[in-house]
Amino acid sequence: MTKYEKIALEVLKHVGGKENVENAFHCMTRLRLNLKDADLIRSEQLKAVPGVLGLNHPSAQELQVVIGTEVDDVYRAFIRLGGLEGNARIDENLDACERKKEKLTVKSVINAIVGAFSACMNPLVPMFVLVGTFNVIAALIGPSFLNLVSEESNLYTNFYYVGQAIIYFLPVLLAYPAAKYFKCNHYISLVLACLLLYPEFSTVLENGGYTVFGIPATNAVYTSSVLPVMLIVWAQSYVEKLANRISPKSMKVIAFPFFTVALMLPLTFCVLGPLGTLAGTGLANLVIGLRTAAGPVETMLVGGVVAFLTAFGIGRPIFFICMSMLFAEGVEYAYMPIAMVLTNFVAMGLSLGFAVKSSGEDRQLGITSFIACCLGGVSEPTWFGILLPHKKAYLPAVIGGAAGGLYLGLMNVGYYQFGPSNVLSVLGYISSELPANFLHGSIAAGIGFTVTFVMMLLSFKRKSIS
């Protein structure tokens, strides 16, 4: 048995077995599990498994097992040993295995919303990285930076169009994992998402006066949107139950999709689509308002706490809101410049400072964490192995992040595209229209790294190391 199989087997055992696993997928460093009954998790035993760096519970039914760079190998062993389908739900064929119902409270509602966002968005992370990679290459070779080609050249558009197409068709890409999460027909979800982007529908909505079965439809733009399609697919999961009941058995193959789409049309264009757009706009205005009112103070405060938001996974709702703004506007200022770049450099400064001030195994941990973050873009060893266990590391992380965040706010630095999560994460600051944005973003990252590193040298004591 390989070491990955040993880790996977132990994780499977301590989360309640394969019968308790509803969905399994992973990002760059974490094995992400949706569980039916969170009470079956044996957290202490799970933390003690060799190869497990830490745990996160973003919502009641979601568990994140921090593995690090070897997460893909552990994930493959996990789904193989558990008899699970990669990134798909297993069948719920036992009453005892049904997801435990939570009492309806404000907390449970928030947990459910965050859990739905996580389950639907996480499978798309590779697409976001792809967008960033192609957009960065286009910006680099374009006239604003290296000026190797013009914006009209085929080489430029080869890269630029890939990123733009993914962003434009985001509702369609999101419809598939949303359908898997809400357990409804994938193809009907894709059809509804395609309708949102169908040019003829967009035109008649823009001109006004369009109705769906006599119900006035609201003009809204759905390209690059997130909330509308999630609300639509969520509602579809309930409408399908009704469509299934009213469809004659002899004609179910035809009647079921017909009734589902017919019932969803007015909900999509008259209720849920506009509601999702309104909600997204409201949340975006809230973030923008805070940024406008507080300016550099907002980025300084976010920079000061972003390490802890990242470590505990509680910044995810903010991330999803700001990510939607990034796709809609092409740039985001309040959170993404900090969470996607600055936090990586704070982690580098923290781990390098820890290595310098430590010895023996602790120094090895610091060096390994620094290399993992700098080259591999993996910051979990820093957060879970250095920051959280050592209170003396808190102040350097806060001051370093705040200093970098303050500079970002003062220089009005924006984040333009997803890129690598390692030392090259500064490429996310590249703007074809504002070349100085990359310079100031890189300076802010350098400030975050330097201040954190120096603060570790000045304030971190070896005696505080356990």
Side-chain angles (χ1 to χ4, degrees):
M1 181 177 290
T2 67
K3 70 172 183 177
Y4 306 121
E5 291 174 330
K6 291 178 181 178
I7 296 173
L9 196 59
E10 287 297 306
V11 171
L12 193 62
K13 180 172 67 174
H14 296 309
V15 297
K18 66 179 181 180
E19 294 84 4
N20 195 38
V21 180
E22 191 173 23
N23 195 19
F25 51 94
H26 72 92
C27 58
M28 293 182 66
T29 58
R30 306 182 187 195
L31 178 65
R32 298 171 182 263
L33 308 175
N34 293 121
L35 304 176
K36 297 174 183 178
D37 188 352
D39 292 338
L40 297 180
I41 300 172
R42 294 185 286 188
S43 298
E44 294 306 315
Q45 292 91 328
L46 198 51
K47 291 177 183 177
V49 174
V52 172
L53 302 177
L55 304 178
N56 266 335
H57 295 272
S59 64
Q61 259 67 47
E62 183 183 357
L63 174 67
Q64 299 176 0
V65 184
V66 182
I67 302 295
T69 55
E70 297 177 322
V71 66
D72 184 63
D73 295 304
V74 174
Y75 168 75
R76 293 177 186 278
F78 185 86
I79 60 174
R80 184 172 64 254
L81 293 173
L84 307 173
E85 182 180 350
N87 198 28
R89 297 176 181 274
I90 61 173
D91 294 332
E92 296 184 49
N93 51 9
L94 295 174
D95 292 340
C97 298
E98 292 180 355
R99 177 184 288 184
K100 183 179 179 180
K101 292 184 178 179
E102 289 188 87
K103 184 179 180 181
L104 188 62
T105 62
V106 173
K107 181 180 178 180
S108 67
V109 171
I110 293 175
N111 285 338
I113 293 173
V114 174
F117 262 108
S118 300
C120 296
M121 297 298 297
N122 281 320
L124 299 183
V125 169
M127 294 297 99
F128 301 150
V129 175
L130 185 63
V131 170
T133 303
F134 274 74
N135 282 354
V136 164
I137 294 175
L140 282 174
I141 66 176
S144 297
F145 274 82
L146 300 180
N147 197 24
L148 300 177
V149 296
S150 69
E151 291 185 353
E152 290 76 27
S153 73
N154 290 337
L155 182 59
Y156 178 87
T157 54
N158 284 164
F159 290 103
Y160 182 74
Y161 286 166
V162 170
Q164 295 306 302
I166 292 173
I167 294 173
Y168 184 93
F169 290 104
L170 182 59
V172 178
L173 296 173
L174 180 57
Y176 184 74
K180 292 175 70 175
Y181 180 77
F182 292 115
K183 298 181 182 177
C184 48
N185 188 287
H186 302 164
Y187 298 104
I188 292 178
S189 299
L190 290 170
V191 167
L192 295 173
C194 289
L195 286 173
L196 291 177
L197 305 183
Y198 184 53
E200 296 298 327
F201 263 120
S202 301
T203 301
V204 296
L205 289 176
E206 185 178 354
N207 293 334
Y210 185 75
T211 64
V212 181
F213 304 142
I215 305 173
T218 303
N219 179 27
V221 178
Y222 297 109
T223 57
S224 310
S225 63
V226 172
L227 287 177
V229 74
M230 287 193 64
L231 286 175
I232 290 165
V233 176
W234 167 74
Q236 177 196 339
S237 66
Y238 291 95
V239 169
E240 283 187 356
K241 297 176 182 178
L242 174 61
N244 188 54
R245 286 199 297 267
I246 63 178
S247 299
K249 291 184 178 181
S250 59
M251 299 180 61
K252 185 158 288 189
V253 174
I254 299 174
F256 172 74
F258 172 80
F259 285 128
T260 301
V261 174
L263 292 170
M264 285 302 303
L265 276 177
L267 287 174
T268 296
F269 289 102
C270 306
V271 182
L272 299 175
L275 179 61
T277 302
L278 182 64
T281 302
L283 292 172
N285 289 337
L286 179 64
V287 174
I288 294 172
L290 180 61
R291 174 76 173 85
T292 302
V297 175
E298 183 267 340
T299 53
M300 181 183 69
L301 292 175
V302 174
V305 300
V306 71
F308 300 94
L309 293 177
T310 304
F312 289 110
I314 57 179
R316 296 163 69 80
I318 306 172
F319 172 82
F320 288 129
I321 294 167
C322 294
M323 184 190 66
S324 300
M325 293 173 59
L326 171 64
F327 287 145
E329 304 295 331
V331 61
E332 202 282 318
Y333 297 92
Y335 188 74
M336 304 295 274
I338 303 166
M340 298 304 296
V341 183
L342 179 61
T343 182
N344 298 330
F345 284 83
V346 170
M348 293 177 208
L350 197 73
S351 55
L352 186 60
F354 182 84
V356 173
K357 296 288 286 187
S358 304
S359 60
E361 292 184 359
D362 287 324
R363 174 168 291 179
Q364 184 61 45
L365 171 62
I367 295 173
T368 302
S369 299
F370 174 74
I371 294 174
C373 191
C374 185
L375 301 181
V378 180
S379 57
E380 276 77 7
T382 301
W383 303 141
F384 292 99
I386 298 174
L387 177 65
L388 298 184
H390 303 96
K391 294 181 180 179
K392 291 289 185 179
Y394 292 4
L395 188 61
V398 170
I399 295 179
L406 178 61
Y407 188 85
L408 287 171
L410 290 172
M411 296 296 106
N412 198 36
V413 175
Y415 186 78
Y416 285 83
Q417 60 263 320
F418 286 90
S421 58
N422 53 22
V423 69
L424 297 178
S425 59
V426 291
L427 296 177
Y429 293 136
I430 291 179
S431 167
S432 59
E433 298 177 357
L434 299 171
N437 189 83
F438 174 70
L439 173 63
H440 290 302
S442 299
I443 292 174
I447 290 173
F449 170 81
T450 303
V451 172
T452 304
F453 176 69
V454 172
M455 285 296 299
M456 284 291 287
L457 296 183
L458 293 177
S459 65
F460 194 83
K461 307 294 183 182
R462 285 187 57 188
K463 64 180 181 181
S464 68
I465 303 174
S466 57

